Amino acid sequence: MKIKTAVVLLIVCVVIAVVPLMLIKDSEFGGADDAASETISQILEVEEYTPWASPVYEPPGGETESLLFCLQAALGAGVFGFGIGVLKERKKSRKEA
Amino acid sequence: MNVKQKRIIGLLAVFAAVFSVAPAAKAMHIMEGYLPVKYCIAWGILCIPFLAAGFFSLKKTVADHRKAIIILSMCGAYAFVLSALKIPSVTGSSSHPTGTGLGAILFGPSVMSILGILVLLFQAVLLAHGGLTTLGANTFSMAIAGPFISYGIYKLATKCKVNRLVAVFMAASIGNLATYCITSLQLALAYPSQTGGMFESLVKFMGIFAVTQVPIAIIEGIITAMVVSALETYAKPELSEIGFLRGGQKA
């Protein structure tokens, strides 16, 4: 893939992600799973569905949750980036040899 | 996969079919405690043969293609990053990509069952995202159904002589969408509407999950195609070793 194509494709991705933010003004963009739990309550015709089990550990507050989400992304991106780096350097050194 | 391993998977498959179909016939991840107990157990059991197949397939890949381990770990890392990204969508709610298509295309779909369940465990235990009771159902939709559909689409597209990167795009995005269609189906099976039955519930849940997922599936498809293109540039020897450049690896 040419660099130019890659840049264009990346821009397309960013646009797809940003457009909803600008078009839908009053949404908090909560998780789709929260919306599903409302639907479950509707179908069962109850005020609010009470889950029968609760998570073993729940991050205390949004800040800690975003920390853990960041950690997940960082770990993944770190390993992935390291891999690409290794492969790229190896290809370079093979060419020189 | 040797004969003994095949036998174990076969046995597990029979076991799973017997135990999971029974309760089901009566009738972005699912959150902890949001699925009735018998469904949790049924989906969990249904995952077992796939996980066993995945384990053996993973073991074989690691033993036979030592050079490809770096790409394998990158596939796991890819699913890890992508499932942490909550992207806003046109429906006003947000959801995340799954990242399971890449590994399914490169290493076969069963390998992703193991990598996928690791991601789901991390999210269930540390983030209260998904859950341990719904782990079976979520594993089935994200780590089994999604990858298998991605793999099938990829095979089909290459057979129809579609450009490789276009095939990757289609496989990753449709696999992503399929994951959430399965999630909708799982919820609809457990919560059939009192007026319109299971189908009405399915339409409702699809309205939430599948519609939210469409733009996110497109993003995942584009990024996966870019990653495959990068790997083609930098990791040609490994890709041909795992059989990818010949048109894919057997399951």
Side-chain angles (χ1 to χ4, degrees):
Chain A
M1 198 180 285
K2 291 197 187 92
I3 296 286
K4 219 171 153 186
T5 332
V7 171
V8 170
L9 286 177
L10 271 181
I11 292 172
V12 170
C13 288
V14 172
V15 168
I16 294 174
V18 170
V19 162
L21 288 175
M22 300 200 296
L23 288 185
I24 309 172
K25 284 275 186 275
D26 299 323
S27 175
E28 286 184 0
F29 291 99
D33 36 11
D34 288 335
S37 75
E38 277 167 33
T39 308
I40 293 176
S41 310
Q42 259 179 42
I43 289 172
L44 295 177
E45 289 169 16
V46 290
E47 194 95 329
E48 205 192 332
Y49 176 80
T50 7
W52 63 272
S54 48
V56 275
Y57 168 77
E58 205 155 355
E63 295 302 323
T64 318
E65 190 183 348
S66 60
L67 163 79
L68 289 167
F69 262 111
C70 271
L71 189 68
Q72 185 187 345
L75 280 173
V79 171
F80 191 85
F82 176 79
I84 284 279
V86 167
L87 293 170
K88 190 176 174 182
E89 279 309 304
R90 198 204 48 193
K91 194 189 174 203
K92 212 166 124 195
S93 65
R94 251 185 217 164
K95 242 185 222 160
E96 283 161 3
Chain B
M1 212 177 286
N2 62 35
V3 181
K4 197 178 148 204
Q5 291 172 341
K6 271 191 182 144
R7 226 174 259 158
I8 295 175
I9 292 166
L11 266 175
L12 289 171
V14 173
F15 173 76
V18 171
F19 281 89
S20 61
V21 170
K26 267 189 187 169
M28 128 181 134
H29 315 312
I30 303 172
M31 291 191 287
E32 187 78 288
Y34 271 80
L35 210 55
V37 184
K38 61 179 183 186
Y39 288 92
C40 297
I41 297 170
W43 289 113
I45 291 173
L46 204 57
C47 291
I48 293 172
F50 291 97
L51 287 168
F55 177 75
F56 293 135
S57 170
L58 196 65
K59 215 170 125 188
K60 188 171 181 297
T61 306
V62 171
D64 295 358
H65 307 293
R66 297 214 67 90
K67 272 164 67 192
I69 291 177
I70 186 158
I71 298 185
L72 187 65
S73 51
M74 282 166 73
C75 289
Y78 185 70
F80 224 67
V81 187
L82 260 63
S83 54
L85 301 177
K86 293 194 263 187
I87 299 171
S89 180
V90 282
T91 53
S93 58
S94 56
S95 187
H96 57 79
T98 60
T100 54
L102 178 69
I105 294 164
L106 295 179
F107 290 99
S110 55
V111 166
M112 279 323 288
S113 64
I114 302 288
L115 298 182
I117 202 173
L118 294 178
V119 176
L120 286 168
L121 268 173
F122 181 94
Q123 293 201 323
V125 174
L126 286 178
L127 292 164
H129 207 68
L132 292 177
T133 58
T134 50
L135 186 66
N138 288 331
T139 304
F140 189 84
S141 62
M142 186 185 129
I144 294 169
F148 270 87
I149 289 168
S150 284
Y151 184 75
I153 301 271
Y154 179 73
K155 279 280 170 196
L156 194 72
T158 41
K159 233 174 219 151
C160 300
K161 305 259 183 282
V162 176
N163 172 294
R164 199 203 310 276
L165 290 182
V166 176
V168 170
F169 167 80
M170 285 164 59
S173 51
I174 297 174
N176 174 311
L177 205 56
T179 295
Y180 288 88
C181 293
I182 299 287
T183 300
S184 308
L185 183 68
Q186 288 171 328
L187 284 171
L189 278 172
Y191 299 106
S193 159
Q194 279 153 13
T195 48
M198 198 208 94
F199 187 72
E200 195 185 302
S201 296
L202 181 63
V203 172
K204 274 190 184 160
F205 287 118
M206 289 277 262
I208 298 168
F209 284 110
V211 177
T212 303
Q213 208 62 29
V214 169
I216 293 158
I218 296 172
I219 293 180
E220 173 163 359
I222 293 176
I223 295 179
T224 307
M226 289 172 71
V227 167
V228 170
S229 147
L231 288 176
E232 279 177 353
T233 315
Y234 297 125
K236 239 189 190 125
E238 282 82 4
L239 288 187
S240 48
E241 200 195 303
I242 57 174
F244 177 68
L245 293 175
R246 285 196 307 271
Q249 149 105 335
K250 65 176 176 14

